[in-house]
Amino acid sequence: MSRHDVLVDADWVQEHLDDPTIAIVEVDEDTTAYEKNHIKNAIRIDWTKDLQDPVRRDFVDQEGFEKLLSEKGISNDHTVILYGGNNNWFAAYAYWYFKLYGHENVKLIDGGRKKWELDARELVAGDEVPQRAKTEYKAKPQDLSIRAFRDEVVDAIGTQNIVDVRSPDEFSGKLNAPAHLPQEQSQRPGHVPTSRNIPWSKNANDDGTFKSDDELKALYEDEEIDLAKDTIALCRIGERSAISWFVLHELLGVENVKNYDGSWTEYGSLVGVPIELGPAK
């Protein structure tokens, strides 16, 4: 797999704004960003409402994903182009969802909203929403080869790569969540023993685009990540770790990489599991 298979640049998007074979989708941490302005013909997926189960702590099931994409006018044949703010933080999370349910024709805009804005490219008004005909989208069962569960994380201690992509303050236990996101805290702070702290933001350049393959490989190997081993990435709720999953699995082609979507809000609330405090060693 090459970068061309999973990324498009802003120039490519500019040339394909009116292409009926693609669906441009904004997924942002700030769910109001789309309402202010967005890329022409982009539709919005609200991660808090559209991707999460409304009752239990989990994300939408196969039927729910089918309904969502059908109502958004996305078919199985569409190439989905995702973007968002914060170096594609939640766009990568949505990308992982699409892959989880078997949609192969999905890519990120390299640099996301940040690069688009730095280039001074056009953003249309928030009320300029494209009208797309409903479809009959059919999803596949979850691909569990890319999703990790809590027991797998416990079993991975000391045997697999565990990449914790949170901030150093969260990893050490000083904070239980990012300073600007006080909700959804776990019962205990800290990190999984033998995990390595490689913050998600280190994967990107200043303009939001991903660093080169050589730079990314060095980033992980310098933190003693053996890319030949099985790897689990985690953060607080599984969104930031989706960026690192994307880098390892999609850009670097590392096999057997899983995203632990339960992440610290689950692990840090479990009874009896091992936890460590303190900075990365």
Side-chain angles (χ1 to χ4, degrees):
M1 185 178 289
S2 68
R3 288 196 167 212
H4 176 73
D5 296 319
V6 297
L7 288 175
V8 292
D9 61 22
D11 286 337
W12 186 94
V13 178
Q14 192 82 57
E15 294 167 4
H16 291 80
L17 288 176
D18 298 306
D19 187 340
T21 68
I22 71 171
I24 304 172
V25 182
E26 176 166 336
V27 190
D28 237 315
E29 176 201 3
D30 177 5
T31 56
T32 67
Y34 179 92
E35 298 168 1
K36 299 168 185 172
N37 52 43
H38 52 265
I39 295 175
K40 180 186 175 185
N41 286 332
I43 57 179
R44 173 174 64 173
I45 288 180
D46 182 330
W47 72 271
T48 62
K49 298 176 181 177
D50 297 332
L51 299 181
Q52 306 296 316
D53 187 284
V55 179
R56 61 196 173 93
R57 170 103 199 275
D58 202 349
F59 43 71
V60 290
D61 60 14
Q62 183 177 342
E63 182 180 352
F65 193 72
E66 291 175 338
K67 181 181 178 183
L68 170 66
L69 268 57
S70 297
E71 291 180 346
K72 294 290 183 181
I74 298 174
S75 73
N76 291 81
D77 294 330
H78 277 117
T79 297
V80 176
I81 306 298
L82 293 159
Y83 78 96
N86 281 2
N87 302 350
N88 278 327
W89 174 347
F90 275 91
Y93 185 49
Y95 178 103
W96 179 72
Y97 269 78
F98 275 86
K99 287 289 188 176
L100 191 73
Y101 284 117
H103 194 98
E104 294 302 320
N105 297 324
V106 58
K107 303 182 182 187
L108 292 180
I109 300 178
D110 197 11
R113 182 183 262 268
K114 182 176 185 179
K115 183 67 166 64
W116 192 269
E117 292 177 346
L118 286 172
D119 290 349
R121 297 178 188 269
E122 180 188 14
L123 291 166
V124 300
D127 58 0
E128 190 173 319
V129 180
Q131 300 301 309
R132 301 177 65 94
K134 289 187 177 181
T135 65
E136 293 291 334
Y137 189 90
K138 297 298 180 185
K140 295 180 181 179
Q142 285 186 24
D143 177 5
L144 298 184
S145 72
I146 62 172
R147 185 185 186 191
F149 296 90
R150 56 194 175 202
D151 290 346
E152 294 176 74
V153 178
V154 174
D155 291 342
I157 294 172
T159 64
Q160 297 183 26
N161 299 316
I162 304 176
V163 179
D164 189 322
V165 315
R166 295 175 297 162
S167 67
D169 280 349
E170 290 171 89
F171 183 85
S172 69
K174 183 178 179 181
L175 293 177
N176 227 341
H180 71 295
L181 296 174
Q183 77 283 5
E184 291 193 39
Q185 295 188 13
S186 61
Q187 293 294 311
R188 294 288 187 271
H191 58 265
V192 180
T194 74
S195 59
R196 309 296 296 183
N197 186 210
I198 308 174
W200 65 284
S201 57
K202 290 189 175 183
N203 293 296
N205 297 306
D206 289 342
D207 65 357
T209 59
F210 287 102
K211 292 178 178 177
S212 70
D213 287 359
D214 288 343
E215 289 173 309
L216 292 171
K217 188 176 180 182
L219 171 65
Y220 289 88
E221 289 182 340
D222 287 351
E223 291 294 334
E224 300 179 6
I225 296 298
D226 181 353
L227 298 181
K229 283 186 174 182
D230 293 351
T231 300
I232 293 174
L234 65 94
C235 58
R236 186 178 63 98
I237 59 172
E239 25 50 303
R240 286 174 288 178
S241 50
I243 283 271
S244 300
W245 171 85
F246 180 89
V247 165
L248 290 166
H249 193 269
E250 304 293 88
L251 295 185
L252 297 182
V254 179
E255 296 183 3
N256 301 322
V257 183
K258 295 185 177 186
N259 184 28
Y260 173 34
D261 56 280
S263 277
W264 196 257
T265 53
E266 177 177 60
Y267 191 95
S269 297
L270 294 174
V271 175
V273 296
I275 289 176
E276 285 185 352
L277 294 172
K281 298 172 183 177

